[in-house]
């Protein structure tokens, strides 16, 4: 019997639409048909983003009692984090600008790490994610 196939990673959020739009804009993803923002329509509590190949990648669900991660403090742990890669320092600098423009925050800068240069960010709900300088 074949193992189950990966469907998507779902992230709890204070506002699924706001979080989905952050990652859609940052990563160049697309909405699952029917999940796009629509004027006058109430946002669903669950939104899915697709890769350019049409595969489901990320889901976001609104959680009414959402507690923002306080990582690196462990009061509210990170619970998960995402890793992304940039080809070189110039590409990372562009991603850095884009993250901040979209409302993300820089949590830790480790660009001077000779073995694993990276920056750690928090998204709009405090979920940490890393962007490494690494081969794709």
């Amino acid at each position: 019997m074949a193992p189950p196939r990966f469907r998507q990673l779902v992230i709890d959020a204070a506002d699924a639409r706001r979080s989905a739009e952050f990652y859609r804009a940052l990563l160049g993803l697309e909405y699952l048909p029917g999940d796009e923002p629509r004027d006058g329509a109430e946002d669903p509590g669950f939104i899915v983003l697709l890769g350019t190949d049409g595969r489901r990648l990320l889901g976001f669900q609104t959680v009414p009692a959402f507690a923002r991660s306080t990582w690196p403090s462990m009061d509210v742990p990170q619970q998960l984090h995402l890793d992304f890669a940039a080809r070189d320092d110039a590409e990372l600098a562009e991603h850095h600008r884009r993250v901040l423009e979209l409302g993300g925050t820089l949590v830790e800068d480790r660009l001077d790490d000779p073995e694993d240069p990276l920056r750690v960010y928090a998204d709009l709900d405090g979920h940490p994610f890393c962007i490494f300088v690494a081969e794709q």
Side-chain angles (χ1 to χ4, degrees):
M1 174 169 49
R5 292 172 287 123
F6 180 83
R7 183 166 169 98
Q8 66 213 2
L9 173 71
V10 178
I11 301 173
D12 288 353
D15 179 330
R17 173 66 63 206
R18 184 181 69 141
S19 291
E21 185 56 23
F22 174 84
Y23 283 102
R24 187 205 61 78
L26 179 65
L27 302 173
L29 303 178
E30 300 174 12
Y31 286 105
L32 178 72
D35 283 359
E36 307 90 345
R38 289 170 284 182
D39 287 338
E42 187 174 320
D43 272 338
F46 191 85
I47 298 169
V48 175
L49 295 177
L50 308 174
T52 55
D53 60 0
R55 288 184 310 135
R56 292 170 172 253
L57 295 178
L58 296 173
F60 301 88
Q61 61 186 359
T62 299
V63 175
F66 180 80
R68 180 184 172 90
S69 172
T70 59
W71 186 88
S73 162
M74 294 308 286
D75 294 335
V76 179
Q78 66 177 325
Q79 300 163 0
L80 70 90
H81 77 267
L82 302 169
D83 287 341
F84 303 106
R87 289 177 184 83
D88 54 33
D89 291 341
E91 186 175 277
L92 180 60
E94 181 57 27
H95 294 319
H96 174 75
R97 183 195 63 74
R98 187 75 175 129
V99 168
L100 299 180
E101 179 181 277
L102 292 169
T105 55
L106 179 65
V107 176
E108 186 176 350
D109 190 333
R110 293 189 7 209
L111 286 182
D112 59 350
D113 184 326
E115 294 182 27
D116 223 1
L118 68 109
R119 283 186 168 146
V120 182
Y121 298 93
D123 69 14
L124 303 174
D125 284 322
H127 299 297
F129 63 95
C130 301
I131 304 181
F132 292 80
V133 176
E135 294 293 319
Q136 297 288 30

